[in-house]
Amino acid sequence: MKVNKLVIAMAIAGLSACSSTQQVPSNTTTLVESVANQGTQLVIPYKKYRLANGLTLIVHEDNSDPLVHVDVTYHVGSAREELGKSGFAHFFEHMMFQGSENVADDEHFKIVTEAGGTMNGTTNSDRTNYFETVPVNQLETMLWLEADRMGFLLDAVTQEKFEVQRETVKNERGQRIDNQPYGRLGERVAQALYPEGHPYSWPVIGWMDDLNRVNVNDLKAFFLRWYGPNNATLTVGGDVKAEEVLALVEKYFGSIPAGPEVEPMAKPKVSLDNTRYISMEDNVHLPLVYIAYPTVHLFHADEAPLDVLMQIIGSGNNSLLYQNLVKNQLAVQASAGHGCSELACQFTLFALPHPASGKTLADMESIIRNSLAEFEQRGVTDDDLAKIKAEMLSDAIFGLQSVHGKVAQLANYETLLGNPNYINEQVDRYKRVSKEDVMRVYNTYIKGKPSVVMSVVPKGQTQLVAAADNFTLPKPLEMGPSTTTADDLNVRVAKDDFDRSIRPAPGANPAVAVPQYWQENWENGIEVLGTHNDETPTTSLLLKIRGGNYQQNLDKAGVASILAAMLTESTQSRSSEQMTRELEKLGSSIRVSAGDENLNVFVNSLSENLPATLALLEEYLFEPAFNQDDFARIQKQRIEGVKNAQKDAGYLASKATRQLMYGNSIAGLPDGGTEQTLASISLDDVKAFYNTWFKPVGGEMILVSSLDKAEVFSAMPKLRAWQGQAPHTAPSIGTAQFEPGVIYLVNKDEAAQSAIRVAKPALPIDITGEYYRTGLMNFPLGGAFNSRINMNLREDKGYTYGAWTGFWGDQYTGTFSASADVRADATQAALAEFYKEISQYAEKGISDEELSFMRLAINQKDALKYETPRAKLGFLAQILEFDLKPSFVKERSAIVDNISKAEINALAAKHLKLDEMLTVVVGDAKTLKPELEKLGRKVVEFKL
């Protein structure tokens, strides 16, 4: 029986975990705990060991798929940094991928990619983790890699790598914070909310002045303090045996010396003496007011009732903020949150006033505070408690759908609580929340309590702030250049009885079974493809109805996305709030979106709640109210969203590229339309689009469920009885309107980064033809982390956080695009490197090493392709859309195995002609234009 099948039983029937604690020495390793499925609790089975050096090992056996997920979590985040040395934990997330004593520079990415795996690392205030998901035969290699960077990293950390990654971190900050609307809001609020010197008073990414003044030895000292095995949890989950994993872990990690002792951090109560008003000007379209209250800390007894309070106040369309601000169109957005970390939490509320409302930020603050007072009169209902209890159970079960999800939960609970077996308690503590608990925490932490009120206003409009600033943010500590030397380091050395420089040889590739599926054509023209999946008691459904962005009239672009939004609003029988409440009580979700060719309806439900969920789905789809108030609100939100997007360099680059590539056609417009086209749409236009295009003939349904198809079909009588056929008209895609060789420059004043796009028309999609082969050709150029372009611009030059190339296509058209957001002062140099890499690859083609790398990377991914219901939905949707046989998987594998160097080089020469390409750059035109002209190309300022 599959491990995950046991999880099903405990989730539905309420089974419990059997936990035993043993002291079984194994080469000085202790088996701390063994948890299995037996009883009435939600549980992820595991064995927990502790090595002599303090490393905690957790192993979860799951034989449902031939893969393994490896996670190393270090209990160190930005909270353990020192004043004046911020950003170190995040910096090490970068440095840990730059090679170690026995792994060459940047080889970590290459090894994982060619193994057919995925990998990443993340940092927050409390912990840093590194993880890989790979075919199970690669387990030993992953453990070898992780052990090498835990115990043998420092000699490979050079000043040169330090400098390059410092530039990469600056680019990441530019892309994610400085160049994003409202990007600096969080760090400003933290400075005001927490006392000076509090571990959360500086951002996770750090202050750039701190990173600029420190040297490589400071970084090494930080590693030696916090990255020992005694401050780490290694969690392994997948098609493994615990005893075999333990033996490998003892081999590779056992000799790594422990680091200094790590004590739990204090959790001092955060309080404010009065409400602090702060403000900032930003390159934004709409002003924003943001209110933050200090509350408790993660896993505190009051966290759960505060989360319930947050949902009542500002989560979803039944919340008070939505009703008082968004529903009546006073605000474009308004919501609440309760973000919790290990040491502290924040209860937050924010609103963006609608320009047409005439409301100021002071008005927004007043309405928000009145909404809090309204809560006192409203109180807590049974539905409030039912919603969050259903949500927590649903989230817990859906989190078990991937081995990554299960390993992540085990690792997080162990790191922050010392108890991996917490999933059931996590659900239960929300079940125990009472109405009295919610009122108590409101009175304790919110009512009449001081807060931080942050106003973000467009540049030059300081008169819009909610109130005059009465608090001055502390300046980051100013310190001189670091004097830390190598002599200050207390280096620990591991001693082994084997040669770590020898990379473990993987076993035979695991056999990967393509999901077995069934197919049925309904009489009304809907084709249905499904598969039985009982690893979790869930159902996922995707319904694709022809009638997307391509079917819109040019002057009504955006009508498809408005229709998609209105199909989850009011029905003829119930309001949107009533419908949402019923879904939330089931723990289900229904989402509708508009793609280029289809309206896509996505449903997620616990299988036991599927009949009730599908009844709501049919009510949404076949009984829409098309309420004028709903339409007006959605239309205005879309228009304001487009206006706000004009402040985003990536959006501007995409918009300009589409316009120049496809001209005055539907493909040349943004997916959601423009400000002008959205304003021209009426409710009658939405109804007409629905009546014309929302028809079953040609529709496709993909189903992944623990239920038999007969059970599912019996719960959707209206879908099966639905009749009608939409017109058969091909869209007008348009033609290119650009002059090759010209650089089209779109202005974004004082942009911290420039967005670069180099693109050209390409092939429509196919599955085993030339389009597929161009994707293989592109892989070494820009299709992987270790690609030429990313290694050049990110790893060698430090110009960007990431650079990519790729081919995209649908049945009508295709595009080749190379893209990166680069440091503003490196724009000209980065664009020159793009040109050089594309030209050289087109001229000289692929190397033997790159060809081998591509073959390994592509053909070993199969173990990861079908693991989750979402992955299965995508795979089956492809089969249905292109009328494929299961043999297409083998056909593609054969193409990868047999495509020749000569064929790839011919494809590169054919599809990568630089003199046919469009170049778009978005940035500060007044400084960029003279620099870009140095490339010897004509530079045209392009107005959008």
Side-chain angles (χ1 to χ4, degrees):
M1 179 177 288
K2 295 179 181 178
V3 170
N4 281 346
K5 286 184 177 179
L6 294 174
V7 176
I8 297 170
M10 54 90 194
I12 290 209
L15 302 180
S16 76
C18 176
S19 172
S20 61
T21 302
Q22 307 176 40
Q23 300 294 321
V24 181
S26 172
N27 297 326
T28 68
T29 294
T30 300
L31 173 63
V32 177
E33 185 179 38
S34 180
V35 172
N37 289 308
Q38 183 181 350
T40 60
Q41 291 182 350
L42 188 63
V43 68
I44 304 170
Y46 65 87
K47 290 183 178 178
K48 174 180 171 181
Y49 302 90
R50 181 131 319 117
L51 274 64
N53 59 7
L55 177 68
T56 298
L57 168 65
I58 299 170
V59 184
H60 165 64
E61 298 180 6
D62 174 1
N63 64 359
S64 58
D65 294 281
L67 53 80
V68 63
H69 185 79
V70 176
D71 178 290
V72 180
T73 298
Y74 295 92
H75 198 171
V76 55
S78 59
R80 293 194 187 270
E81 296 161 354
E82 302 173 32
L83 278 173
K85 295 183 178 180
S86 65
F88 276 27
H90 174 261
F91 202 117
F92 248 104
E93 182 197 320
H94 287 253
M95 294 304 300
M96 293 278 267
F97 291 103
Q98 299 308 305
S100 48
E101 184 174 319
N102 301 295
V103 181
D105 296 357
D106 303 309
E107 194 177 10
H108 198 118
F109 283 100
K110 185 174 185 293
I111 289 171
V112 175
T113 303
E114 71 180 3
T118 61
M119 63 180 295
N120 212 335
T122 67
T123 308
N124 63 28
S125 56
D126 306 316
R127 60 102 191 103
T128 307
N129 70 337
Y130 305 88
F131 52 88
E132 303 89 10
T133 306
V134 293
V136 68
N137 64 316
Q138 300 288 343
L139 170 63
E140 185 172 2
T141 302
M142 297 306 107
L143 295 175
W144 171 74
L145 284 170
E146 289 293 355
D148 211 61
R149 58 184 179 184
M150 179 185 285
F152 304 86
L153 181 80
L154 290 190
D155 287 344
V157 177
T158 64
Q159 185 69 33
E160 180 182 5
K161 290 181 183 179
F162 172 78
E163 298 292 346
V164 170
Q165 290 309 310
R166 178 156 57 186
E167 292 306 307
T168 301
V169 171
K170 291 179 183 178
N171 280 306
E172 182 178 0
R173 180 182 171 90
Q175 183 173 326
R176 294 186 171 183
I177 299 175
D178 297 332
N179 218 33
Q180 287 293 319
Y182 315 106
R184 288 169 288 169
L185 184 152
E187 64 189 30
R188 297 289 181 95
V189 170
Q191 285 180 278
L193 186 68
Y194 298 109
E196 192 169 359
H198 188 282
Y200 291 168
S201 64
W202 56 82
V204 173
I205 202 168
W207 301 121
M208 293 304 99
D209 285 348
D210 287 351
L211 292 182
N212 283 334
R213 68 172 194 81
V214 300
N215 64 41
V216 69
N217 291 311
D218 291 294
L219 208 65
K220 290 182 178 183
F222 187 80
F223 179 87
L224 288 167
R225 174 65 185 92
W226 299 110
Y227 288 79
N230 53 308
N231 196 37
T233 297
L234 169 60
T235 309
V236 178
D239 193 11
V240 298
K241 299 294 184 185
E243 293 73 16
E244 296 172 3
V245 174
L246 175 60
L248 292 172
V249 170
E250 288 179 327
K251 174 182 178 180
Y252 290 109
F253 290 85
S255 65
I256 299 174
E261 187 176 355
V262 177
E263 297 291 338
M265 296 190 72
K267 301 172 183 174
K269 179 177 173 58
V270 178
S271 60
L272 301 170
D273 51 2
N274 53 39
T275 292
R276 297 174 175 179
Y277 286 91
I278 59 174
S279 64
M280 66 173 286
E281 298 176 65
D282 199 0
N283 187 17
V284 295
H285 165 60
L286 294 174
L288 175 149
V289 65
Y290 188 95
I291 304 173
Y293 294 87
T295 58
V296 288
H297 58 77
L298 190 65
F299 302 120
H300 186 282
D302 286 346
E303 181 195 4
L306 279 162
D307 284 348
V308 177
L309 174 66
M310 176 271 294
Q311 289 215 350
I312 297 170
I313 299 294
S315 178
N317 63 5
N318 282 288
S319 69
L320 293 173
L321 292 186
Y322 186 91
Q323 292 296 313
N324 294 340
L325 285 165
V326 180
K327 180 79 171 178
N328 56 18
Q329 300 179 44
L330 297 180
V332 175
Q333 292 182 46
S335 65
H338 187 227
C340 275
S341 299
E342 184 177 15
L343 309 181
C345 304
Q346 298 180 28
F347 193 99
T348 60
L349 311 102
F350 82 91
L352 287 84
H354 197 294
S357 71
K359 297 296 183 182
T360 65
L361 292 187
D363 295 329
M364 292 292 104
E365 181 191 358
S366 178
I367 296 172
I368 290 172
R369 296 195 184 280
N370 288 339
S371 298
L372 294 175
E374 182 182 344
F375 164 75
E376 294 186 63
Q377 303 301 316
R378 173 194 183 277
V380 184
T381 69
D382 291 336
D383 277 356
D384 294 331
L385 299 181
K387 279 165 37 181
I388 196 164
K389 292 172 184 178
E391 177 186 309
M392 292 304 300
L393 177 60
S394 179
D395 286 350
I397 294 175
F398 276 104
L400 304 175
Q401 290 185 327
S402 70
V403 66
H404 181 173
K406 288 180 282 188
V407 164
Q409 291 185 72
L410 291 170
N412 192 56
Y413 290 142
E414 170 62 28
T415 301
L416 299 178
L417 290 170
N419 176 21
N421 187 26
Y422 196 76
I423 184 172
N424 189 71
E425 173 59 22
Q426 175 72 346
V427 174
D428 279 353
R429 68 194 190 112
Y430 285 86
K431 289 182 179 179
R432 293 193 294 265
V433 173
S434 67
K435 296 177 182 179
E436 292 74 21
D437 289 331
V438 180
M439 296 304 300
R440 175 180 53 78
V441 297
Y442 169 76
N443 288 317
T444 303
Y445 303 102
I446 308 298
K447 182 180 179 181
K449 299 299 186 291
S451 59
V452 171
V453 182
M454 171 80 174
S455 298
V456 182
V457 299
K459 289 185 177 180
Q461 299 186 44
T462 55
Q463 77 278 5
L464 298 180
V465 299
D469 290 13
N470 65 358
F471 180 79
T472 301
L473 296 179
K475 294 182 178 180
L477 190 65
E478 293 185 8
M479 302 174 67
S482 172
T483 59
T484 306
T485 68
D487 293 337
D488 298 320
L489 304 178
N490 183 18
V491 179
R492 304 182 295 272
V493 180
K495 296 181 179 180
D496 294 303
D497 56 4
F498 69 99
D499 187 354
R500 283 185 182 266
S501 68
I502 300 174
R503 175 178 163 184
N509 287 340
V512 181
V514 174
Q516 297 294 310
Y517 61 86
W518 48 262
Q519 190 164 0
E520 183 170 315
N521 295 328
W522 287 354
E523 292 182 0
N524 64 359
I526 295 180
E527 296 181 83
V528 187
L529 200 65
T531 187
H532 186 75
N533 180 62
D534 58 3
E535 293 178 25
T536 54
T538 59
T539 295
S540 295
L541 179 152
L542 173 62
L543 176 64
K544 299 169 67 177
I545 301 300
R546 185 169 177 268
N549 297 324
Y550 280 169
Q551 280 69 49
Q552 302 170 124
N553 292 332
L554 192 60
D555 62 341
K556 302 293 183 182
V559 67
S561 67
I562 291 179
L563 171 61
M566 293 200 71
L567 287 177
T568 52
E569 288 286 345
S570 304
T571 70
Q572 295 171 21
S573 304
R574 287 184 272 197
S575 69
S576 58
E577 291 84 359
Q578 290 172 324
M579 292 291 288
T580 299
R581 185 182 300 116
E582 293 307 310
L583 274 174
E584 290 172 338
K585 287 159 63 177
L586 296 169
S588 302
S589 65
I590 297 174
R591 298 194 303 275
V592 185
S593 63
D596 280 343
E597 300 177 70
N598 303 290
L599 280 173
N600 301 305
V601 182
F602 185 69
V603 180
N604 255 350
S605 175
L606 299 180
S607 290
E608 63 178 343
N609 294 334
L610 185 63
T613 302
L614 291 178
L616 293 171
L617 172 67
E618 291 186 333
E619 186 172 337
Y620 270 139
L621 298 184
F622 302 123
E623 302 175 37
F626 289 127
N627 181 286
Q628 177 64 40
D629 288 341
D630 290 340
F631 166 75
R633 170 173 37 83
I634 292 168
Q635 181 187 41
K636 290 177 181 178
Q637 287 175 328
R638 291 289 192 275
I639 291 172
E640 293 306 319
V642 168
K643 290 179 179 178
N644 195 52
Q646 302 288 342
K647 303 295 184 179
D648 180 78
Y651 174 85
L652 294 174
S654 175
K655 183 179 180 182
T657 301
R658 292 183 69 147
Q659 189 171 327
L660 289 161
M661 191 87 74
Y662 298 111
N664 188 32
S665 71
I666 197 65
L669 293 176
D671 288 338
T674 67
E675 183 181 343
Q676 293 73 28
T677 63
L678 285 164
S680 75
I681 297 169
S682 68
L683 180 57
D684 285 340
D685 293 325
V686 177
K687 293 178 182 178
F689 195 86
Y690 173 83
N691 291 327
T692 301
W693 293 104
F694 200 71
K695 306 296 182 185
V697 173
E700 298 170 351
M701 180 185 295
I702 304 94
L703 182 67
V704 179
S705 179
S706 61
L707 302 174
D708 294 332
K709 69 175 182 178
E711 295 178 83
V712 179
F713 287 178
S714 66
M716 49 177 70
K718 293 181 181 178
L719 273 167
R720 301 197 69 183
W722 184 23
Q723 299 293 319
Q725 182 170 349
H728 283 281
T729 56
S732 174
I733 297 300
T735 56
Q737 303 293 309
F738 66 90
E739 181 183 344
V742 170
I743 298 173
Y744 292 89
L745 177 59
V746 179
N747 183 52
K748 183 176 187 290
D749 288 332
E750 301 177 9
Q753 285 190 314
S754 301
I756 294 175
R757 304 292 184 267
V758 181
K760 68 183 289 286
L763 296 170
I765 193 171
D766 62 49
I767 300 303
T768 56
E770 186 173 350
Y771 172 87
Y772 179 67
R773 294 164 193 261
T774 59
L776 302 179
M777 174 270 288
N778 174 74
F779 193 78
L781 174 64
F785 186 91
N786 282 75
S787 67
R788 294 184 184 188
I789 282 181
N790 193 57
M791 296 304 291
N792 181 341
L793 271 70
R794 170 176 163 144
E795 297 301 298
D796 295 342
K797 306 287 194 309
Y799 291 161
T800 182
Y801 184 54
W804 310 95
T805 65
F807 287 85
W808 166 89
D810 57 33
Q811 63 174 312
Y812 301 107
T813 187
T815 302
F816 165 79
S817 178
S819 63
D821 290 348
V822 303
R823 214 175 60 228
D825 64 346
T827 305
Q828 184 249 37
L831 185 55
E833 293 301 320
F834 264 113
Y835 290 156
K836 183 189 76 173
E837 293 289 358
I838 293 170
S839 297
Q840 286 185 352
Y841 193 63
E843 179 183 347
K844 298 180 180 179
I846 195 170
S847 70
D848 291 333
E849 182 182 358
E850 287 171 332
L851 180 59
S852 174
F853 173 62
M854 181 274 291
R855 285 175 171 161
L856 288 169
I858 299 295
N859 268 353
Q860 294 193 101
K861 284 183 177 180
D862 285 352
L864 281 66
K865 284 181 180 177
Y866 324 120
E867 182 196 8
T868 65
R870 180 176 287 273
K872 289 181 172 71
L873 277 181
F875 173 73
L876 296 176
Q878 191 176 43
I879 288 176
L880 197 54
E881 180 176 357
F882 296 101
D883 193 23
L884 302 173
K885 304 298 181 186
S887 59
F888 91 91
V889 175
K890 293 182 179 179
E891 291 174 31
R892 278 189 160 183
S893 294
I895 291 171
V896 175
D897 287 337
N898 297 312
I899 192 169
S900 67
K901 187 175 180 181
E903 182 178 356
I904 285 181
N905 291 347
L907 288 168
K910 176 181 178 181
H911 292 283
L912 297 176
K913 295 176 181 177
L914 193 61
D915 60 3
E916 296 179 351
M917 293 188 183
L918 159 71
T919 300
V920 171
V921 177
V922 179
D924 189 55
K926 62 181 178 293
T927 57
L928 289 181
K929 187 173 182 180
E931 289 298 310
L932 294 173
E933 287 173 339
K934 294 177 182 178
L935 294 172
R937 292 177 173 239
K938 180 181 178 181
V939 179
V940 174
E941 292 195 47
F942 186 66
K943 303 292 185 182
L944 286 172

